[in-house]
Amino acid sequence: MTDGPRQRGCSAASGGDAGSESGKESGEGGVALKKEIGLVSACGIIVGNIIGSGIFVSPKGVMENASSVGLALIVWIVTGIITAIGALCYAELGVTIPKSGGDYSYVKDIFGGLAGFLRLWIAVLVIYPTNQAVIALTFSNYVLQPLFPTCFPRRTDCAFLLTWVNCSSVRWATRVQDIFTAGKLLALALIIIMGIVQICKGEYYWLEPAHAFESFQEYDVGLIALAFLQGSFAYGGWNFLNYVTEELVDPYVNLPRAIFISIPLVTFVYVFANIAYVTAMSPQELLASNAVAVTFGEKLLGVMSWIMPISVALSTFGGVNGSLFTSSRLFFAGAREGHLPSLLAMIHVKRCTPIPALLFTCLSTLLMLCTSDMYTLINYVGFINYLFYGVTVAGQIVLRIKAPDMHRPIRISLVWPVIYLLFWAFLLIFSLYSEPIVCGLGMAIMLTGVPVYFLGVYWDNKPECFNSFVAKMTYLGQKFCVVVYPGETKGAGNGEEGEELKESQAPLSQDDGETRKSADC
C-alpha cells in the first residue's frame, strides 16, 4: 500500500481473499456497499424510524394545542396526508438521483455544494446525534426505571450494542430493524384492539360529534399551527429510506413501493392509537400524563400493565438502530463527496459496512449524552431541519426546470410539491413569528458551517504539512478499521442501466464540481 489512503478498486489486488469476495459484490474488483435491503426491510426502516417513543409516551402535544379531541384527530390525519405528499416528492427525487444521503445529496446536486454542506453540517453537529441520544435515554429510562425508580439512568449499552451489530453486517442490522418494527406494531395493535373493545362496550363519549369538539380552552389559530408542527415532528423519519438508496434491491421499484406502503400504515396506526387513548382517558387525564401508553395500560391491563413500558423500550431500541443505520449512511455520503474526512467514506473489506461512519455516529451520540442541554439544542435546530424539507421539495421543481429531459422512473404532478410547500411555508412562517429567538439561534448554528465549508472544502491549496497529517491519520484509521474506498457502482457494468445510474449520480450544479476539490475538510 502506498502512503495515504487506498484508492478505489485497489482492494482486489492487495486484499487477497477479502478483495476477491468483495469484488463479487462490486462487479469491478473492488468492495462496495451490498444491496441487501429488500421491500420488507425498506418498510421496516421507514416505519421503525417514524414510530419511536412519541406515540407511546407523549401524544399530548397535539391534543394540548388542538384544544379538542376532534380537532386533534383531524390534525393527525391531515399531517399524515401532508407527510405522504412529501414522501411522494422524495420518491421521485430518490429514483431520479439514486444516491445514498437523501436530502443532503439532492440539495447538493441541485443547489450546489454550500447548500448541501449546510444540510450535512447541521445534521452532523446536532440533529442526528441528539435524536439518537434522546431515544437511547428513553430506552434506558423505561428499561431501568421500573427496577430503580429513584434513579435517572444514562446507560449507553444499546448504542454500543447496535453500533457493533451495524458494523458486523447490513443483514443483521436490517433483521434487528424488522424484528423491533414488528414488535412495536404488535404493541400498537394491542392498543388499537383494546380501543375497539372499549368502543364495543360503549366507551366512546369523547368520540361522539357533540363532545369531540368540546374545547377545553379557546381555539386559537396559532395554537392549531403548533399542533400541526407537533404532528409533523411525530411523523419525522419518513425520508430516512432515501439515505440508503444504494443499498436497496431494485431501488426504482422498492423505494416508491416502501413509501406507499409505510406512510398510510403509520397514519392509520397513529390515528387509531389516539382514538384508543380517548376511549379510556378524558382529555384532561391524557394531558396530565407524561407517558400516555403507560397510563392507558394501567387503566385497562391491570396486572399486565408492564407490557406498555416494555413496548416503549422495544420501540426505542429499534429507533436507535434505524437512526444509526441511516445517519451513518448520510455521513458516508458526505465524506464521499469531499464534505467530511475521507475516512468516513470507506467500508470494511469483508463486511462491506461503513465502519468509520458508524463509529463516528456512535461517538457523536455519546458526546450528546454528556450534555444537559440536548433538548434545548434540538429545539433550536428543529426549525432548520424542517426548513430543509421544504428546500428539498422546492429542488424538485427547480430540477424539472433545469433538467426537463432527465430520466425520471417516477414523475408526479407538480401540484403535489406546491401543496406541500404551501403547508410548509405556513408552519415555518408561524414558527418564525411565534418563536423568533429559537428559530434565529437555529439559523445561527447552521451558518457556523459557512466558514467551515470555505476553509475545509472550498480551499484547495492547504499547507502541505496539513495534507500530510490528514493522510497519515486516514491511513491509521484504515489500518485500525480494515477499510478501503468502495469500488465503482455495480450497475456500471450492466450496460444501459449502468449508464443511467452513472449519469444520475453526476453533479447537477455547475459549482458542485468545483467544490469537490478537496477530499478532506
Side-chain angles (χ1 to χ4, degrees):
M1 182 189 292
T2 59
D3 289 339
R6 291 186 185 179
Q7 300 303 312
R8 282 186 174 86
C10 70
S11 57
S14 59
D17 294 339
S20 302
E21 182 183 338
S22 301
K24 294 175 184 177
E25 297 297 332
S26 68
E28 291 281 329
V31 298
L33 292 172
K34 294 181 180 180
K35 289 183 176 292
E36 292 189 343
I37 303 175
L39 180 59
V40 173
S41 294
C43 292
I45 288 171
I46 297 176
V47 175
N49 276 292
I50 295 178
I51 302 176
S53 60
I55 192 63
F56 295 105
V57 179
S58 186
K60 68 177 185 179
V62 172
M63 180 77 74
E64 186 176 16
N65 292 301
S67 303
S68 70
V69 171
L71 190 56
L73 293 175
I74 290 172
V75 167
W76 283 111
I77 294 168
V78 172
T79 307
I81 293 170
I82 294 296
T83 299
I85 292 172
L88 198 63
C89 299
Y90 269 63
E92 178 180 317
L93 286 168
V95 296
T96 305
I97 308 173
K99 293 183 180 180
S100 290
D103 38 20
Y104 156 71
S105 294
Y106 312 148
V107 169
K108 180 190 67 64
D109 280 9
I110 296 169
F111 295 109
L114 178 58
F117 181 82
L118 291 178
R119 175 69 182 108
L120 182 66
W121 175 254
I122 204 72
V124 169
L125 196 64
V126 179
I127 292 174
Y128 294 105
T130 306
N131 278 336
Q132 284 151 205
V134 170
I135 299 171
L137 276 178
T138 306
F139 169 79
S140 63
N141 286 336
Y142 274 83
V143 168
L144 298 177
Q145 204 149 348
L147 302 174
F148 307 100
T150 59
C151 297
F152 295 94
R154 278 181 176 264
R155 299 300 298 273
T156 57
D157 308 58
C158 72
F160 285 123
L161 174 61
L162 290 171
T163 299
W164 175 76
V165 169
N166 278 268
C167 287
S168 299
S169 168
V170 172
R171 185 176 285 111
W172 287 9
T174 55
R175 292 296 175 269
V176 167
Q177 192 67 18
D178 294 347
I179 291 167
F180 282 91
T181 297
K184 69 178 73 176
L185 286 175
L186 286 173
L188 285 164
L190 176 62
I191 291 173
I192 292 169
I193 290 168
M194 287 192 294
I196 293 170
V197 171
Q198 285 286 98
I199 291 171
C200 292
K201 290 180 178 179
E203 300 289 341
Y204 49 80
Y205 177 87
W206 291 105
L207 298 175
E208 294 175 350
H211 304 119
F213 292 93
E214 277 184 18
S215 61
F216 43 84
Q217 61 184 0
E218 285 190 17
Y219 287 117
D220 179 83
V221 175
L223 289 176
I224 292 170
L226 283 178
F228 276 109
L229 200 58
Q230 293 270 356
S232 298
F233 291 148
Y235 281 94
W238 53 268
N239 60 325
F240 277 20
L241 186 62
N242 294 68
Y243 291 161
V244 295
T245 305
E246 291 171 39
E247 293 170 82
L248 278 174
V249 175
D250 196 1
Y252 293 140
V253 174
N254 285 333
L255 177 63
R257 276 186 185 173
I259 289 171
F260 298 152
I261 292 170
S262 302
I263 304 299
L265 174 62
V266 171
T267 304
F268 173 86
V269 167
Y270 272 15
V271 171
F272 281 89
N274 278 278
I275 288 173
Y277 289 147
V278 297
T279 62
M281 293 179 281
S282 67
Q284 290 73 22
E285 288 177 306
L286 191 146
L287 293 174
S289 173
N290 288 321
V292 176
V294 175
T295 306
F296 180 83
E298 288 171 352
K299 290 176 77 74
L300 297 184
L301 291 175
V303 294
M304 299 296 289
S305 60
W306 56 267
I307 291 175
M308 285 303 142
I310 296 299
S311 298
V312 176
L314 293 176
S315 179
T316 51
F317 190 81
V320 173
N321 181 71
S323 188
L324 274 172
F325 185 82
T326 52
S327 60
S328 65
R329 269 55 177 187
L330 171 63
F331 302 158
F332 167 85
R336 187 175 56 184
E337 299 295 340
H339 286 176
L340 288 174
S342 59
L343 180 64
L344 299 182
M346 299 183 191
I347 60 177
H348 193 272
V349 294
K350 286 187 178 179
R351 298 185 177 95
C352 296
T353 54
I355 290 178
L358 283 161
L359 294 177
F360 176 78
T361 306
C362 181
L363 178 62
S364 59
T365 300
L366 297 178
L367 288 174
M368 277 297 172
L369 284 170
C370 296
T371 177
S372 59
D373 294 328
M374 70 174 78
Y375 294 96
T376 305
L377 212 52
I378 200 168
N379 285 337
Y380 289 153
V381 297
F383 169 80
I384 302 303
N385 196 32
Y386 207 69
L387 171 68
F388 273 104
Y389 287 164
V391 170
T392 306
V393 173
Q396 181 185 11
I397 299 174
V398 172
L399 190 58
R400 288 281 188 93
I401 297 168
K402 289 174 67 174
D405 300 324
M406 192 174 186
H407 176 63
R408 292 176 173 85
I410 296 176
R411 189 184 184 93
I412 66 170
S413 169
L414 288 180
V415 170
W416 300 117
V418 169
I419 290 172
Y420 184 87
L421 288 172
L422 288 173
F423 179 80
W424 166 84
F426 165 70
L427 289 186
L428 235 58
I429 290 169
F430 181 81
S431 298
L432 193 58
Y433 174 76
S434 60
E435 296 285 354
I437 295 176
V438 170
C439 296
L441 285 171
M443 291 286 288
I445 293 170
M446 179 188 72
L447 292 176
T448 58
V450 175
V452 176
Y453 172 79
F454 282 104
L455 289 172
V457 180
Y458 192 78
W459 181 26
D460 193 27
N461 298 318
K462 298 182 181 69
E464 185 60 36
C465 60
F466 175 81
N467 291 331
S468 176
F469 174 77
V470 170
K472 286 178 181 177
M473 291 298 102
T474 303
Y475 179 68
L476 288 174
Q478 282 187 273
K479 294 189 73 175
F480 178 75
C481 297
V482 197
V483 292
V484 294
Y485 280 115
E488 296 301 328
T489 308
K490 184 176 180 180
N494 292 342
E496 188 178 335
E497 184 184 348
E499 286 300 315
E500 282 179 10
L501 198 58
K502 192 174 179 182
E503 266 183 44
S504 65
Q505 292 189 337
L508 300 175
S509 165
Q510 187 173 2
D511 89 349
D512 188 50
E514 297 173 5
T515 62
R516 293 184 60 181
K517 294 174 183 177
S518 171
D520 297 286
C521 56

